[in-house]
Amino acid sequence: MARTGTDPQPHTPFLSRPGVRRLTPFVLITAIALVFIFENRAHVEIRLLVPKVTMPLWGALLIAWGLGMLACAFTVRRRQDRYAGRHADRHAKRPHA
């Protein structure tokens, strides 16, 4: 059906969109974390179970940040899969009239 000039499309403000609202905290925390990581450039000694490693602190912080991001990604993906499976089961068990 053709759109007429009298039927305006409702406009959703950019910051009210769900995708933007989910992405904004991630972007802010990532920016702050990266600034913190790259401001700490001193060399430190880190014990990895048995060996001692000397490396820049920013490298160790970057590795820890990356591992945290991976853990978050796996957790969110598992939660979405579990949530989708639970709702699919609920809808399948309903008797149809």
Side-chain angles (χ1 to χ4, degrees):
M1 194 166 169
R3 202 182 288 218
T4 63
T6 59
D7 188 23
Q9 177 72 16
H11 178 71
T12 305
F14 182 72
L15 294 176
S16 296
R17 296 177 185 172
V20 174
R21 294 183 81 179
R22 266 186 245 125
L23 192 61
T24 302
F26 169 76
V27 170
L28 289 174
I29 290 170
T30 299
I32 292 169
L34 289 174
V35 167
F36 177 76
I37 287 168
F38 290 114
E39 284 297 318
N40 290 291
R41 295 183 299 246
H43 284 272
V44 292
E45 236 180 47
I46 299 170
R47 180 181 295 274
L48 299 171
L49 297 178
V50 176
K52 282 187 180 179
V53 178
T54 301
M55 66 186 302
L57 183 56
W58 66 265
L61 290 170
L62 193 60
I63 290 169
W65 176 75
L67 292 173
M69 294 301 293
L70 282 174
C72 270
F74 287 129
T75 303
V76 169
R77 171 172 266 172
R78 286 189 62 203
R79 186 179 302 156
Q80 286 176 350
D81 290 345
R82 191 178 320 152
Y83 183 74
R86 193 172 355 147
H87 281 289
D89 291 342
R90 253 190 223 160
H91 293 297
K93 291 179 185 176
R94 282 189 186 166
H96 293 280

